[in-house]
Amino acid sequence: MVQLVSRLYCCGDYAALCATLFQQLRTLVPFDLGVCFRTRREGGRALLSDPVSSRPEQALSWFLEGDYPRWAEFIMAPHSSIFQQSDLVSPGLWESSRVYQEIWAPQNIYWGLFLAAVRQDEPQALLGFFRSREGGDFDKRDTYVLEVLREPLENCLHRLDGRADRRAQDLRLRASGLGLTPREAEVAALVGAGMDTGPICDTLHIAPSTLNKHLANIFAKLRVNSRAQLRTRLTLPAAPGGAHGQ
């Protein structure tokens, strides 16, 4: 456990944190599938984003699409929570539910153990670990392991979020110094941070067509032809005389 916590504190980003946790935790809490989502509140709703799976080849859209329960009461809570699927609904009712039949059963998972990380009333992430019916339910020892990891995970997520915020601010400042409008600078910073179309649109509450218009203007002003070139441009100092200086 001490080794696992030490390795978590050495992780440099969210994806590395998830991968390390999945790899190391399996020896303490056996599971068939592990998932992690960033969590946030928006308009009184609990939202999931940035899914990471212990099976890199497996898409997690089945957790994010459709009108399904999403553990909202735990994400909206003012503190972290650890809970099992069997705490929420009895097996008989669970098997007849829409979420089990449409999401869980096709993935051959039945039992779930969750950690909703919330720090100072701010949601951070939702971790889920799953087993098949044959694997048996998670027990008190499994729950205890997550309880021991709860505070280190909260601290790691907070540290990584702070680092991401500082990098985003730096990218926005760089973009603003290249002759872009405030909105274009926001778009450029998100592209520079490696975000794809969907997450950018969700963050800025704009349509893909609007994003494409902003990108066209940015490309023209900075004389680049792709998002990759834009990312490179954001790492260079502004040319003398502004964005178009030679």
Side-chain angles (χ1 to χ4, degrees), residues 4 17-26 29-37 52-54 63 71 82-85 104 109-116 126-132 136-138 142-143 145-146 149 153:
L4 170 55
L17 181 74
C18 295
T20 300
L21 182 63
F22 294 148
Q23 181 182 32
Q24 300 294 317
L25 187 62
R26 198 185 296 271
V29 181
F31 59 89
D32 299 317
L33 172 66
V35 299
C36 185
F37 303 90
V52 178
S53 171
S54 63
F63 266 122
W71 311 284
I82 297 171
F83 58 99
Q84 295 174 234
Q85 181 59 42
W104 291 51
I109 55 177
Y110 189 85
W111 307 106
L113 175 64
F114 304 92
L115 167 59
L126 177 69
L127 283 155
F129 303 94
F130 305 93
R131 291 176 181 164
S132 65
D137 199 359
F138 295 89
D142 301 324
T143 301
V145 170
L146 281 195
L149 289 174
L153 280 169

Side-chain angles (χ1 to χ4, degrees), residues 79-170:
H79 51 76
S80 295
S81 305
I82 297 171
F83 58 99
Q84 295 174 234
Q85 181 59 42
S86 54
D87 293 332
L88 304 181
V89 60
S90 65
L93 293 175
W94 173 230
E95 292 170 15
S96 63
S97 69
R98 179 186 174 199
V99 65
Y100 172 73
Q101 293 177 1
E102 295 190 11
I103 294 184
W104 291 51
Q107 307 299 322
N108 191 32
I109 55 177
Y110 189 85
W111 307 106
L113 175 64
F114 304 92
L115 167 59
V118 180
R119 189 178 190 273
Q120 297 179 352
D121 199 27
E122 288 296 327
Q124 296 176 300
L126 177 69
L127 283 155
F129 303 94
F130 305 93
R131 291 176 181 164
S132 65
R133 184 194 294 265
E134 295 74 22
D137 199 359
F138 295 89
D139 57 25
K140 291 182 179 179
R141 179 185 178 280
D142 301 324
T143 301
Y144 175 73
V145 170
L146 281 195
E147 178 58 39
V148 173
L149 289 174
R150 176 188 57 77
E151 186 172 353
L153 280 169
E154 290 175 6
N155 292 337
C156 288
L157 288 164
H158 177 70
R159 174 178 59 86
L160 294 175
D161 283 346
R163 181 179 297 177
D165 289 342
R166 289 192 296 274
R167 181 166 184 261
Q169 183 178 20
D170 180 61

